[in-house]
């Protein structure tokens, strides 16, 4: 990882005072080949994670944030066998494949993502979010009065990795088709769309009932 700051050290020394840097630039890259050996991430499964971040900011420049994330992993799951919980690698050996992009400028953050695998199709998410930056332009935050444009499409996506993380639910199998949209503003969002689930199955641990 590399970080650079616009720091006129000579002038500070001559004037005997310190000023907040007017600009900075940061580059970072993270590669984890075995997330099952990494604290916190090990709770989610086994596989790899790679991410790159580029950030330009400060008082004298137009802020910019670019980030990409790629991951391939087998979710960590638990199979209920009678009264016993048996740890298993979920998705029958077909890993989840995740790709995510984020680009943010002075007013807007645009993002796109794709998740597929686990014996199912893809979930595709795109969005544009209104942002505002801190006074030093370090990181963006959502702006309450800005317009939202978010769309999520489910193209035969397997919901098992998501539903299996709900406490008291095990042995899930559910394929989803449809889409959801998020519009309005950050302060007052509106949700629309439809979702059809086929071949659904889950076990309620508390009652032992399979639905």
């Amino acid at each position: 990882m590399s970080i650079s700051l616009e720091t006129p050290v000579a002038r500070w020394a001559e004037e005997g005072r310190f000023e907040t840097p007017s600009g900075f630039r940061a580059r970072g890259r993270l590669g984890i080949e075995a997330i099952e050996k990494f604290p916190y991430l090990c709770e989610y499964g086994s596989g790899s994670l790679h991410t790159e971040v580029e950030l330009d900011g400060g008082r004298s420049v137009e802020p910019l944030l670019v980030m990409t994330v790629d991951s391939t992993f087998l979710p960590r799951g638990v199979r209920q066998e009678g009264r016993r919980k048996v740890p298993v690698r979920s998705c029958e050996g077909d890993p989840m494949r995740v790709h995510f992009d984020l680009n943010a400028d002075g007013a807007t953050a645009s993002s796109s993502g794709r998740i597929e695998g686990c014996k199912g199709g893809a979930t595709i998410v795109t969005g544009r979010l209104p942002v505002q930056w801190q006074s030093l332009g370090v990181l963006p935050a959502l702006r309450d009065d800005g317009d939202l444009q978010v769309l999520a499409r489910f193209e035969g996506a397997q919901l098992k990795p998501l539903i299996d993380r709900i406490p008291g639910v095990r042995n899930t199998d559910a394929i989803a088709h449809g889409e959801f949209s998020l519009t309005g503003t950050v302060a007052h969002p509106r949700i629309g769309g439809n979702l059809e689930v086929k071949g659904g199955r889950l076990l309620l641990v508390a009652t032992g009932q399979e639905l």
Side-chain angles (χ1 to χ4, degrees):
M1 183 173 183
S2 63
I3 300 176
S4 62
L5 301 174
E6 294 180 6
T7 53
V9 178
R11 180 163 57 82
W12 293 349
E14 181 181 344
E15 297 177 357
R17 63 188 181 90
F18 171 81
E19 296 178 353
T20 302
S22 59
F24 67 89
R25 175 173 294 178
R27 304 285 185 274
R29 177 179 297 178
L30 173 66
I32 301 175
E33 299 302 331
I35 62 176
E36 64 272 20
K37 299 179 180 180
F38 203 83
Y40 305 109
L41 294 178
C42 61
E43 295 292 328
Y44 295 94
S46 59
S48 63
L49 172 68
H50 296 89
T51 181
E52 294 188 21
V53 179
E54 176 181 340
L55 176 64
D56 291 343
R59 295 180 290 108
S60 64
V61 298
E62 175 76 7
L64 172 69
L65 172 64
V66 179
M67 180 173 66
T68 63
V69 178
D70 287 284
S71 181
T72 301
F73 69 99
L74 285 168
R76 180 182 180 183
V78 176
R79 185 174 64 245
Q80 196 74 28
E81 295 184 354
R83 296 181 178 273
R84 294 192 308 124
K85 298 178 181 179
V86 181
V88 296
R89 285 186 175 183
S90 188
C91 296
E92 301 177 12
D94 182 23
M96 301 296 295
R97 298 173 294 279
V98 180
H99 177 79
F100 175 77
D101 288 303
L102 173 67
N103 293 269
D105 57 22
T108 304
S110 300
S111 63
S112 64
R114 182 183 182 94
I115 306 173
E116 58 187 336
C118 199
K119 304 297 182 179
T123 299
I124 301 170
V125 181
T126 58
R128 288 176 59 85
L129 307 173
V131 296
Q132 59 186 0
W133 293 71
Q134 300 172 356
S135 58
L136 296 180
V138 179
L139 287 174
L142 290 177
R143 198 175 71 247
D144 287 344
D145 60 347
D147 293 334
L148 288 172
Q149 296 179 17
V150 179
L151 178 65
R153 301 200 315 272
F154 301 88
E155 301 179 348
Q158 173 62 264
L159 301 182
K160 176 181 177 64
L162 177 64
I163 300 177
D164 272 356
R165 300 197 68 83
I166 300 175
V169 176
R170 298 286 185 270
N171 304 355
T172 305
D173 185 24
I175 299 295
H177 294 266
E179 65 178 40
F180 280 103
S181 64
L182 187 62
T183 57
T185 65
V186 174
H188 300 94
R190 297 191 300 270
I191 301 176
N194 61 84
L195 186 68
E196 179 183 4
V197 177
K198 295 182 178 181
R201 183 185 76 240
L202 60 84
L203 173 69
L204 300 178
V205 177
T207 63
Q209 183 179 11
E210 186 172 79
L211 304 177

